[in-house]
């Protein structure tokens, strides 16, 4: 039986949150009779066999810090106080959280102080790295003169120390795995567990073929900001060839994005149910500068949309099969691929069918199973280290 202790700087079970993944894993562990502990900001969903401790009113502070960054002080390093607050709280309770036979810790943020305490106590640690490390942000910010990425060196030191302390590191994509190797993490320490998608059950509505010259509906879903490449998307959208088409920007609109300046039709419906909204669109576009593995891309593919994504989106899109993969920041390539679908409308349905089939290969149950296998690997390692000592003692 596994005894997994989660340290999750998130709201467990909240949609659109890292805590969705935490809850999926805990649910899988509970279903197979394993037990554990979860220390988090808050837990909206709970599973039998697990003990939960939340941060109370302190758990609301990270959201206030993030709001300050968005609306009051762009560039504010909200992550540093966020992580330090969680690490302080976790350090106060880590011994309680680490009780029970042969515990294994899953730490969901770069918290070197917490990892040091766990490792000193002989507890194996799986570190979750959901996005590319800060070193990547620093590199591309300098290369492309970007002033909107979180490039604070304090986080660079945190991540470097945490990666050195962890026994295994869970990465959501090959992109993140490669960036971890760039900062010195050895490949044998990295395990990839792709995110998943669980589309609604029931028959899939066939997509009618698009006729040549028909208007197209391009769409994006996520935070509508510069980090996601939306300013580049709007630049590409200025092409007169898109005058009869629509661009749907779904999600939270950041003040830094001026939709009113668009010369071609742009719709901003706010937050939407992707499985209800996206099937009414034709092509998904996601030109992000920095991700780990964007869940919105999985959902769009599951809806049967071909996707144009950046190589920094960490997606499972196969270039030329499910859509296209372009270099992050290449607005010309972005525009050309969008225009390509206008001149090849028959490929919207063909690539969309490929995308839907591809998305079926990645479920949340599959994601949870891969992470549980990481726990088992750590448990086997710990047992192998202890067994010879026990035998010698006898």
């Amino acid at each position: 039986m596994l005894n997994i202790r989660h340290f999750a700087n998130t709201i467990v079970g909240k949609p659109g949150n890292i805590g969705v993944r935490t809850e999926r894993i805990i649910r899988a562990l509970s279903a197979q009779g394993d037990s554990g502990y979860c220390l988090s900001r808050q837990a909206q969903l709970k599973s039998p066999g697990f003990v939960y401790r939340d941060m109370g009113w302190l758990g609301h502070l990270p959201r206030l810090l993030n709001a300050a960054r968005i609306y009051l002080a762009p560039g504010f390093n909200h992550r540093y106080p966020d992580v330090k607050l969680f690490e302080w709280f976790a350090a106060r309770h880590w011994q309680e959280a680490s009780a029970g036979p042969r515990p294994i810790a899953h730490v969901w943020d770069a918290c070197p102080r917490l990892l040091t305490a766990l490792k000193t106590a002989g507890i194996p640690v799986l570190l979750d790295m959901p996005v590319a490390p800060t070193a990547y942000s620093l590199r591309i910010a300098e290369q492309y003169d970007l002033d909107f990425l979180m490039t604070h060196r304090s986080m660079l030191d945190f991540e470097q120390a945490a990666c050195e302390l962890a026994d295994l590191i869970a990465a959501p994509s090959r992109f993140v795995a490669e960036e971890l190797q760039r900062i010195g993490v050895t490949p044998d320490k990295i395990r990839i567990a792709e995110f998943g998608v669980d589309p609604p059950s029931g028959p899939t509505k066939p997509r009618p073929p698009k006729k040549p010259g028909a208007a197209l509906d391009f769409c994006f879903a996520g935070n509508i900001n510069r980090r996601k490449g939306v300013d580049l998307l709007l630049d590409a959208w200025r092409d007169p060839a898109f005058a009869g088409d629509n661009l749907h920007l779904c999600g939270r609109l950041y003040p830094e994005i001026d939709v009113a300046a668009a010369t071609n039709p742009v719709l901003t419906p706010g937050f939407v149910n992707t499985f209800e909204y996206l099937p009414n669109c034709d092509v998904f576009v996601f030109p992000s500068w920095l991700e780990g593995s964007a869940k919105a891309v999985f959902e769009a593919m599951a809806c049967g949309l071909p996707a144009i994504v950046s190589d920094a989106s960490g997606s499972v899109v196969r270039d030329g099969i499910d859509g296209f993969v372009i270099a992050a920041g290449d607005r010309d390539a972005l525009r050309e691929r969008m225009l390509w679908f206008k001149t090849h409308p028959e490929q919207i349905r063909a690539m969309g069918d490929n995308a839907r089939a591809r998305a079926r290969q990645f479920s949340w149950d599959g994601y949870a199973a891969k992470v549980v296998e990481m726990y088992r690997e750590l448990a086997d390692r710990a047992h192998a280290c202890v067994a010879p000592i026990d035998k010698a003692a006898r």
Side-chain angles (χ1 to χ4, degrees):
M1 175 180 286
L2 293 172
N3 175 22
I4 310 302
R5 326 304 282 185
H6 291 272
F7 297 86
N9 185 15
T10 185
I11 300 176
V12 176
K14 181 180 179 181
N17 195 284
I18 288 175
V20 168
R21 296 191 286 118
T22 312
E23 191 276 329
R24 288 282 184 163
I25 294 167
I26 291 177
R27 189 195 310 177
L29 290 167
S30 177
Q32 61 189 30
D34 294 318
S35 61
Y37 181 101
C38 180
L39 184 151
S40 66
R41 295 183 198 169
Q42 181 185 347
Q44 290 187 352
L45 297 175
K46 298 181 179 181
S47 294
F50 275 74
V51 175
Y52 294 82
R53 174 180 286 278
D54 65 45
M55 296 175 65
W57 65 269
L58 290 173
H60 297 286
L61 291 180
R63 296 187 66 186
L64 296 175
L65 292 170
N66 190 38
R69 177 185 65 89
I70 295 172
Y71 300 108
L72 299 177
F76 167 58
N77 181 10
H78 77 293
R79 284 286 292 145
Y80 182 78
D82 176 6
V83 173
K84 290 297 288 184
L85 174 65
F86 179 77
E87 189 171 50
W88 170 81
F89 186 84
R92 288 173 58 88
H93 299 283
W94 77 268
Q95 289 180 314
E96 166 193 276
S98 303
R102 296 182 180 177
I104 294 170
H106 188 159
V107 179
W108 291 78
D109 219 331
C111 299
R113 179 183 170 192
L114 172 61
L115 266 72
T116 298
L118 293 167
K119 294 290 292 179
T120 301
I123 299 171
V125 176
L126 172 66
L127 174 65
D128 200 88
M129 289 292 289
V131 299
T134 300
Y136 167 80
S137 298
L138 287 165
R139 189 176 74 250
I140 64 167
E142 181 177 349
Q143 180 179 350
Y144 295 99
D145 193 24
L146 307 178
D147 61 359
F148 52 85
L149 292 178
M150 290 189 294
T151 56
H152 305 285
R153 293 189 177 275
S154 57
M155 293 307 302
L156 182 71
D157 296 337
F158 267 34
E159 291 171 355
Q160 193 79 47
C163 287
E164 291 175 1
L165 288 162
D167 294 284
L168 287 179
I169 299 174
S173 63
R174 188 170 299 277
F175 164 64
V176 173
E178 290 172 352
E179 290 302 324
L180 286 170
Q181 291 178 51
R182 274 179 173 264
I183 64 172
V185 180
T186 56
D188 63 328
K189 203 174 191 179
I190 303 169
R191 302 291 181 271
I192 296 177
E194 297 89 350
F195 295 161
V197 59
D198 292 334
S201 58
T204 301
K205 183 179 178 180
R207 177 179 294 276
K210 299 295 292 189
K211 296 180 180 179
L216 298 185
D217 284 89
F218 296 87
C219 63
F220 165 93
N223 286 329
I224 306 170
N225 59 24
R226 295 173 68 191
R227 199 202 95 180
K228 300 287 187 179
V230 177
D231 55 331
L232 302 177
L233 176 55
L234 289 173
D235 283 346
W237 190 245
R238 289 193 177 97
D239 193 300
F242 297 118
D245 304 311
N246 292 308
L247 175 61
H248 303 248
L249 301 178
C250 307
R252 176 188 287 132
L253 179 63
Y254 279 51
E256 63 198 54
I257 298 298
D258 185 9
V259 174
T263 55
N264 291 319
V266 176
L267 291 79
T268 53
F271 294 100
V272 300
N273 182 320
T274 51
F275 297 116
E276 294 177 357
Y277 195 95
L278 296 191
N280 297 311
C281 298
D282 300 302
V283 180
F284 190 74
V285 189
F286 199 84
S288 181
W289 284 100
L290 168 64
E291 298 295 328
S293 184
K295 294 186 288 296
V297 178
F298 284 92
E299 293 170 355
M301 294 173 72
C303 290
L305 271 64
I308 303 171
V309 301
S310 71
D311 54 5
S313 67
S315 79
V316 296
V317 171
R318 298 165 296 180
D319 187 45
I321 300 174
D322 315 308
F324 295 106
V325 181
I326 62 172
D330 192 339
R331 59 168 56 84
D332 292 334
L334 175 60
R335 181 179 63 252
E336 289 167 7
R337 289 311 188 187
M338 293 172 70
L339 289 171
W340 187 89
F341 280 108
K342 287 184 64 62
T343 57
H344 299 79
E346 74 284 355
Q347 289 299 318
I348 293 176
R349 180 172 179 176
M351 284 189 168
D353 289 344
N354 292 341
R356 181 182 283 112
R358 175 71 166 161
R360 290 195 184 112
Q361 299 175 25
F362 302 94
S363 68
W364 282 118
D365 285 344
Y367 164 77
K370 289 181 180 179
V371 176
V372 171
E373 280 305 306
M374 297 179 204
Y375 299 153
R376 295 195 188 284
E377 180 180 352
L378 290 176
D380 290 343
R381 286 188 193 180
H383 179 71
C385 291
V386 171
I389 298 175
D390 290 346
K391 185 176 180 181
R394 290 194 297 270

